[in-house]
Amino acid sequence: MNKRSLSDRRRAIYTGLKPFFDDASLMQAVTHWENRYADQPSLALQRYVADICQNTALKDKRATILRSLLHAMAQDSSELLADPRGPEAGTPNTAETASASSAYGVLMLAMMSQIDESLQHKLRIELFAALRQRQLPLAILEALQNWLGTRQPLKLNNAPPALLQKLLNQYYVLLCENLGPVRADNILARGVAQVQHQHPELDPFIDRLL
């Protein structure tokens, strides 16, 4: 479901986990991800973190480790550590489509609709504050600012799917911080299911975002 190459996703897992594991344990954790989670959405990492954090010391760091993985998943390829398995050929898909923007907009609305009004308002403010720090193109930042104050579909026809994926990831991080990873995963899953049911034509573009 994730359009990033296997190598880039493995590099993100390796980068996110490296501060917390010794070399042998780190490679065991990477192997477990390859065997069990490589084909799953990149945002659904909570179960993976629970799997690899079984001892008492790591259990206490689960939330921190999850945030580290999510941060690594959002980083550009140039910012990640080298692939521990060695280089892999392949070029990521960088196509820009209006349908990807539509998919992002309706998925975000489907997720927001599951949250009460006061928390929605708080998350919108926090999301825009976080996005301002990303130095986005002015046109995209203005479109996001206008959209966050309304309930209308977002129009970002020139935004590449990779950027939309980062924006969705940022909102998911805020959900984790405010509601915890379990509720955040549930909100994401219900949002995806709703969009797939109501807008089946957007299913391929939803896949690109996850």
Side-chain angles (χ1 to χ4, degrees), residues 141-189:
L141 192 62
E142 289 178 346
L144 286 166
Q145 183 177 19
N146 293 335
W147 172 71
L148 287 171
T150 70
R151 295 183 181 278
Q152 301 302 312
L154 176 66
K155 296 186 182 299
L156 284 178
N157 293 346
N158 293 323
L163 173 59
L164 297 173
Q165 185 183 54
K166 289 182 180 181
L167 300 181
L168 177 62
N169 184 77
Q170 182 66 59
Y171 187 68
Y172 179 82
V173 169
L174 292 175
L175 286 175
C176 287
E177 292 175 347
N178 283 271
L179 298 173
V182 174
R183 281 200 64 190
D185 274 354
N186 289 337
I187 288 170
L188 173 64

Side-chain angles (χ1 to χ4, degrees), residues 68-201:
S68 180
L69 285 172
L70 291 170
H71 176 72
M73 286 290 184
Q75 288 181 286
D76 290 331
S77 297
S78 61
E79 300 173 307
L80 299 173
L81 297 175
D83 190 337
R85 302 294 191 200
E88 176 186 91
T91 303
N93 186 345
T94 57
E96 297 180 358
T97 68
S99 294
S101 173
S102 298
Y104 171 80
V106 295
L107 177 56
M108 284 288 291
L109 289 179
M111 294 169 69
M112 288 180 176
S113 67
Q114 302 176 52
I115 304 168
D116 64 65
E117 290 289 342
S118 61
L119 183 55
Q120 276 194 46
H121 181 69
K122 178 177 182 288
L123 290 178
R124 286 170 186 263
I125 293 173
E126 290 181 359
L127 179 59
F128 186 67
L131 296 180
R132 286 179 65 90
Q133 298 176 11
R134 286 182 171 269
Q135 298 182 330
L136 298 175
L138 182 59
I140 290 178
L141 192 62
E142 289 178 346
L144 286 166
Q145 183 177 19
N146 293 335
W147 172 71
L148 287 171
T150 70
R151 295 183 181 278
Q152 301 302 312
L154 176 66
K155 296 186 182 299
L156 284 178
N157 293 346
N158 293 323
L163 173 59
L164 297 173
Q165 185 183 54
K166 289 182 180 181
L167 300 181
L168 177 62
N169 184 77
Q170 182 66 59
Y171 187 68
Y172 179 82
V173 169
L174 292 175
L175 286 175
C176 287
E177 292 175 347
N178 283 271
L179 298 173
V182 174
R183 281 200 64 190
D185 274 354
N186 289 337
I187 288 170
L188 173 64
R190 285 194 294 265
V192 169
Q194 178 180 326
V195 175
Q196 289 175 329
H197 177 70
Q198 296 178 349
H199 304 279
E201 74 281 2

Side-chain angles (χ1 to χ4, degrees), residues 52-62:
I52 63 175
C53 297
Q54 294 294 322
N55 66 52
T56 302
L58 288 176
K59 281 183 178 179
D60 292 340
K61 297 179 180 178
R62 281 181 180 178

